[in-house]
Amino acid sequence: TDHRIVFSSDLHGNNVQYQKLVKYAIENEAHAVLIGGDVAPKEQHLDRRDYYEYMQLKQREWLEQTWPTIIAPLKQHKIPCYLILGNGDVSMNYDVHQKHEKDGLYHLINCKRMSLTDDFDIVGYPFIPFSNSSMKDFEKWDMSPSICPQKWQKAHKFRMADIQIKYAHHSTKPTRTFAPDEVVTNEWHKYNYSKEIQERDSIQIDLAGKVFTEKAGKTIYLFHAPPFETIADTVFDMNHCGSVAMTHFIHECQPYLTLHGHVHEAVDKSGAFSQKIGNTSIICSGNDPLYKDAQPTGTDLWLIDFIVEDLQSAKRIKI
């Protein structure tokens, strides 16, 4: 049996895009829907002194009041939804996602492996390398220098140089979360990402864990971050902002398929939504909620429609 999957990412609380995603999946009898992070509205009101607190409250309001109604038709049609969070999602609202998961609305697969079909698993990972904006949840060091392989050291140093420029702007952030069952305290604090922490807590170390390395050839990876120097991490100025650790992971483990979001403009700038690294297929949605004045204005949704057993079937569709 062929299993049809519908994937998109970075909808950032755009209700019109979500409604189109759900409608498309139902009408096309999808086996599952995958959402690659940055689920809730941005709510980036930079002029507010309570910027982070306001973002957390507004995201929570949307997650509790609007989101369940939008996503519920998938459950009614017995279409499972698997999602991860992204660096635009506030982890202090993790309990809301856990409640929705308990109610059967979707599976939250941050750092978690689940069976997708009889033959294939799915595993999710929400973290990205430090971005060029203020520090957010689900951002961390990319590589740990002492164990960074020789062939990736040049790329790692390039990314580190970029981080050093931006690091001074990283400040107050909510408690970050790794495992789905980790308790998230409802408090705000400064988090010091020191070089010592870099050696014991990085994307490289996470991806070396068994939950990610086992059955790679029979696993679909739902990543928010894109891998470094690929079609999925090409930004406006044609430079690359992705994860060196993720590129290393793909070369070493050769996953069956990796799905990526985060860089809204990647497909437009690279000119492609998919590529191969060895036996691994890499696909990004390139969706953009088109925010203006802190509100999503985009009405077009970009999604990927593919058959698990036939990745050459993958199509990028605008609806």
Side-chain angles (χ1 to χ4, degrees), residues 133-317:
S133 59
S134 59
M135 185 185 288
K136 302 174 184 175
D137 286 351
F138 306 111
E139 295 187 9
K140 63 165 65 180
W141 291 111
D142 192 19
M143 304 288 281
S144 296
S146 65
I147 58 173
C148 178
Q150 180 70 34
K151 66 178 179 179
W152 300 115
Q153 287 184 6
K154 183 177 180 180
H156 167 63
K157 288 178 181 178
F158 173 82
R159 292 291 286 116
M160 283 292 292
D162 188 51
I163 288 169
Q164 293 304 318
I165 294 171
K166 313 299 193 309
Y167 191 69
H169 298 290
H170 295 165
S171 54
T172 306
K173 64 181 292 296
T175 305
R176 41 187 285 283
T177 304
F178 178 76
D181 58 352
E182 183 176 341
V183 175
V184 182
T185 58
N186 188 27
E187 62 184 27
W188 294 78
H189 65 98
K190 289 186 177 181
Y191 200 99
N192 177 25
Y193 279 95
S194 67
K195 296 297 179 65
E196 185 273 329
I197 291 176
Q198 185 181 9
E199 289 295 349
R200 60 179 171 83
D201 184 15
S202 67
I203 293 174
Q204 179 187 8
I205 291 174
D206 290 347
L207 296 183
K210 184 179 178 181
V211 68
F212 297 104
T213 58
E214 67 177 354
K215 297 174 59 179
K218 286 289 187 177
T219 299
I220 293 174
Y221 292 80
L222 187 59
F223 289 137
H224 186 57
F228 184 65
E229 289 193 333
T230 62
I231 53 97
D233 80 327
T234 308
V235 295
F236 285 112
D237 60 3
M238 302 305 291
N239 283 316
H240 298 275
C241 69
S243 168
V244 178
M246 205 163 281
T247 302
H248 169 60
F249 169 79
I250 291 171
H251 277 269
E252 292 297 309
C253 293
Q254 288 288 277
Y256 179 67
L257 170 65
T258 63
L259 300 170
H260 306 272
H262 182 52
V263 182
H264 303 171
E265 69 272 20
V267 176
D268 288 340
K269 292 301 175 181
S270 68
F273 72 90
S274 66
Q275 77 175 89
K276 294 277 285 189
I277 295 181
N279 295 322
T280 299
S281 294
I282 296 170
I283 292 177
C284 68
S285 62
N287 185 60
D288 192 337
L290 293 175
Y291 263 74
K292 183 178 181 181
D293 298 326
Q295 296 299 319
T297 61
T299 56
D300 292 332
L301 169 73
W302 285 101
L303 60 81
I304 306 295
D305 182 328
F306 67 95
I307 304 298
V308 172
E309 296 79 7
D310 178 20
L311 297 184
Q312 291 186 344
S313 68
K315 298 172 290 188
R316 183 172 181 255
I317 300 171

Side-chain angles (χ1 to χ4, degrees), residues 85 89-95 137-138 174-177 184:
L85 303 183
D89 294 309
V90 179
S91 71
M92 283 166 62
N93 295 325
Y94 218 83
D95 60 310
D137 286 351
F138 306 111
T175 305
R176 41 187 285 283
T177 304
V184 182

Side-chain angles (χ1 to χ4, degrees), residues 26-80:
I26 292 171
E27 289 181 348
N28 290 277
E29 299 180 343
H31 172 75
V33 171
L34 311 182
I35 300 175
D38 282 356
V39 174
K42 284 187 173 184
E43 295 295 348
Q44 291 180 306
H45 298 268
L46 299 175
D47 58 329
R48 297 182 65 102
R49 291 179 62 87
D50 61 343
Y51 169 79
Y52 290 100
E53 291 85 353
Y54 187 77
M55 179 189 291
Q56 185 257 328
L57 290 173
K58 295 301 288 185
Q59 286 195 4
R60 190 177 193 87
E61 179 182 285
W62 181 85
L63 287 168
E64 290 180 335
Q65 299 176 14
T66 305
W67 172 235
T69 303
I70 292 174
I71 207 74
L74 292 178
K75 178 184 177 182
Q76 294 163 8
H77 285 81
K78 295 181 169 53
I79 301 174

